[in-house]
Amino acid sequence: MTDQQGGGGDWPAVNPLVAGLRCRCPRCGEGRLFRGLLAVRDSCDRCGLDLRDVASEDGPAAFVILIAGFILMALVLWVELTWAPPIWLHLVIWLPLAVVLSIGLLRPMKAWMVAQQYRHRILGLGRDADGTTGD
């Protein structure tokens, strides 16, 4: 089976959403994408995909701000209109939840952006570690 890029490699077609949610390599779907919290590896430890040209920049953070902000504000308004707790209780509940939700969404969102870059061959992403494309 060839990969979704039409290359000559024997890589399965990996859904970018699945690769993003699992934080795995966009080509083989097996290798780990990150070496720390958000640092992308130089290459896949399974298939050797060169990941040095990944440039997700602020895209994942912007998506996370919009998604987490929508979820949190809906919950804050619901709690305020239903129970009207004091402001200190809002802070105790929502600040930690905002941090956890933001960090929890940032890794899969960044992985999804990397997978989309691979799928559409942005910035040459799709080369092997030796610089060849496998075509």
Side-chain angles (χ1 to χ4, degrees), residues 77-126:
L77 288 172
W78 177 68
V79 168
E80 178 62 30
L81 294 174
T82 304
W83 294 291
I87 193 71
W88 67 267
L89 189 57
H90 275 296
L91 293 174
V92 168
I93 294 170
W94 305 118
L95 287 178
L97 186 59
V99 170
V100 168
L101 191 59
S102 297
I103 292 173
L105 287 174
L106 200 51
R107 273 177 68 103
M109 190 61 67
K110 186 168 183 172
W112 176 72
M113 295 278 281
V114 169
Q116 287 295 339
Q117 286 180 10
Y118 173 76
R119 181 178 196 131
H120 298 289
R121 292 197 182 237
I122 305 292
L123 299 173
L125 187 62

Side-chain angles (χ1 to χ4, degrees), residues 11 25-28 33 41-52 54 114 118 124-130 132-133:
W11 304 108
C25 172
R27 179 166 64 183
C28 67
L33 189 61
R41 295 177 178 271
D42 289 337
S43 64
C44 176
D45 55 354
R46 297 286 176 117
C47 69
L49 176 66
D50 183 13
L51 296 166
R52 291 175 292 184
V54 169
V114 169
Y118 173 76
L125 187 62
R127 294 190 309 250
D128 292 329
D130 62 1
T132 62
T133 60

